[in-house]
Amino acid sequence: MASNGANQPLLSGFVDSTPQTNNKDAPKRRRLRRCRSAPQTDVAALDINEKDSTHLSESLFGKPRPNFKRVLVYLAAYLGGGSLSFYAVNSQIEGLKTNEILDSIYFCIVTMTTVGYGDLVPNSVVSKLLSCAFVFTGMGLVGMFLSKAADYLVDKQEILLVKALHRYQKVGPTDILKEIETNKVRYKCIIMLVLELVLILVGTIFLVVVEKMSFVDAFYCVCSTITTLGYGDKSFSTTGGRAFGVVWISSSTMTLAQFFLYVAEFNTEKRQKALVNWVLTRKMTHVDLEAADIDEDGVVSAAEFIIYKLKEMGKISQEDIALVMEEFQDLDFDQSGTLSPSDLFLAQDSQTKS
């Protein structure tokens, strides 16, 4: 077994040694094929519609669906606990008040999103300590759970966006999935930008109509809110305004934060694609061949070439390769340089006994 495995190329499972037969004069070359363990994306028979978009988003991006029940439980616990706490110390909070219960929820949202208008402020030791506790808890809640929920909802709408952009073209399910995979971050930016613009428009109109602000003051209040500046000279001061603000403040601030997160991700992806393009288009030199020759036998195999290029692209590091090779050596029980079912059985049996 050792003699047979010694001449096997590294990652030989990726190589199909069957020669090409279309041209009799063509040299016999090995063709790389998909690894059998790679996930399949054969969805030609799948009809993409709104009902399927959730499933496709999960399978395409490899992200498990967030547990919305858990998100809702944490959010309800935060708002419930915060509202009750601030309601209990309502007399120790000064400022413009409307309804005690609504003011408590409103103050909770303003604290969670770090908007901090200043229209309601704690003026006792207890209320100040409660505010400190709930602002950190609220920031953690937004960062860990609500952003994941927003990310999932955006993924769910990407297929609909691609279909809308290509509504006059004949595109199949496979083309749609390929388009999403190629430009998924760009589509996320577009969706969040559109959503934020809608929220800005809705918030401005509401402040003009309900809070009786001028258009400039309303727009100024919207901008200072979604950026969490919260100057405080303009805010929601009516019962209806604060009821609207409870929903609008949390959604608009989170949407803007997600948008900038996607913009940063998009810029990072652009730099990564530029690096990949440079690696794939630059000419190989003798120095590159020597560096790619892992086993130092004077020639570079397909597997060695792939590993070298992936390292150049920054997709893997020498530490990653060392860890994988360490696992391979542990499983290669007979030290033949290849893995077989007997190797796996013997290696696992040895680990169990030890």
Side-chain angles (χ1 to χ4, degrees):
M1 189 174 192
S3 60
N4 292 337
N7 297 324
Q8 291 292 330
L10 184 64
L11 301 181
S12 58
F14 287 91
V15 179
D16 184 359
S17 59
T18 305
Q20 299 177 1
T21 57
N22 294 336
N23 188 347
K24 294 182 179 180
D25 298 326
K28 295 182 179 181
R29 300 179 62 186
R30 295 178 298 174
R31 293 176 296 172
L32 295 180
R33 60 178 174 83
R34 179 185 293 275
C35 177
R36 286 184 295 176
S37 62
Q40 300 297 316
T41 56
D42 185 10
V43 291
L46 185 60
D47 179 24
I48 296 182
N49 51 41
E50 294 183 19
K51 184 177 180 180
D52 297 323
S53 62
T54 300
H55 168 71
L56 291 175
S57 179
E58 292 172 14
S59 61
L60 181 62
F61 301 109
K63 297 178 181 178
R65 177 176 177 176
N67 191 332
F68 288 112
K69 290 183 178 179
R70 182 185 299 176
V71 173
L72 291 175
V73 167
Y74 278 103
L75 182 60
Y78 176 85
L79 292 178
S83 300
L84 289 174
S85 299
F86 292 125
Y87 179 79
V89 296
N90 184 265
S91 60
Q92 302 173 37
I93 297 178
E94 62 181 14
L96 181 60
K97 298 182 180 180
T98 56
N99 176 277
E100 290 186 354
I101 298 177
L102 180 59
D103 287 344
S104 300
I105 301 174
Y106 170 77
F107 184 74
C108 211
I109 292 293
V110 170
T111 301
M112 179 182 74
T113 56
T114 69
V115 170
Y117 286 123
D119 51 355
L120 292 174
V121 293
N123 65 347
S124 70
V125 174
V126 175
S127 59
K128 288 178 180 179
L129 291 177
L130 279 175
S131 298
C132 293
F134 276 94
V135 70
F136 284 111
T137 308
M139 291 175 67
L141 178 67
V142 171
M144 290 189 296
F145 298 104
L146 297 184
S147 60
K148 292 181 181 180
D151 197 35
Y152 168 74
L153 293 175
V154 170
D155 285 344
K156 188 176 179 181
Q157 301 303 316
E158 284 181 329
I159 291 176
L160 300 179
L161 175 61
V162 174
K163 291 179 71 175
L165 293 175
H166 298 279
R167 61 185 181 278
Y168 298 118
Q169 303 174 12
K170 291 184 179 180
V171 291
T174 305
D175 297 324
I176 291 177
L177 291 182
K178 184 178 180 181
E179 174 71 11
I180 295 174
E181 176 64 21
T182 304
N183 300 300
K184 58 182 179 181
V185 180
R186 182 164 67 92
Y187 288 138
K188 286 181 178 181
C189 290
I190 293 173
I191 292 172
M192 297 307 287
L193 177 60
V194 171
L195 181 57
E196 187 62 35
L197 291 175
V198 170
L199 288 169
I200 290 174
L201 180 62
V202 171
T204 303
I205 293 174
F206 183 90
L207 288 171
V208 170
V209 174
V210 178
E211 295 288 338
K212 307 302 179 183
M213 295 184 188
S214 67
F215 176 79
V216 173
D217 285 344
F219 183 69
Y220 162 78
C221 180
V222 165
C223 291
S224 65
T225 299
I226 64 176
T227 56
T228 70
L229 284 173
Y231 287 122
D233 53 338
K234 299 294 179 182
S235 61
F236 297 91
S237 57
T238 64
T239 302
R242 288 186 174 176
F244 171 80
V246 165
V247 178
W248 182 84
I249 292 172
S250 56
S251 58
S252 60
T253 52
M254 186 177 64
T255 300
L256 185 65
Q258 285 293 113
F259 170 70
F260 284 123
L261 178 64
Y262 290 146
V263 169
E265 187 179 351
F266 179 69
N267 290 330
T268 302
E269 187 180 77
K270 281 183 64 177
R271 290 195 296 269
Q272 180 64 31
K273 286 182 178 180
L275 175 61
V276 169
N277 182 65
W278 177 80
V279 169
L280 294 178
T281 54
R282 78 178 186 88
K283 293 182 179 180
M284 291 284 291
T285 65
H286 291 290
V287 175
D288 293 320
L289 289 178
E290 292 179 4
D293 186 13
I294 297 176
D295 55 9
E296 299 181 351
D297 60 353
V299 294
V300 176
S301 66
E304 289 174 328
F305 182 78
I306 291 171
I307 290 175
Y308 180 71
K309 285 295 183 180
L310 289 176
K311 286 175 63 179
E312 272 197 314
M313 295 175 190
K315 295 183 180 295
I316 59 174
S317 65
Q318 187 61 41
E319 290 75 14
D320 298 327
I321 297 173
L323 291 173
V324 173
M325 288 304 299
E326 183 179 348
E327 181 182 2
F328 179 87
Q329 291 168 359
D330 291 339
L331 293 174
D332 185 16
F333 195 80
D334 58 3
Q335 303 299 310
S336 63
T338 60
L339 292 181
S340 64
S342 60
D343 284 324
L344 296 180
F345 175 78
L346 292 172
Q348 292 171 359
D349 183 62
S350 176
Q351 292 174 358
T352 303
K353 290 181 179 179
S354 61

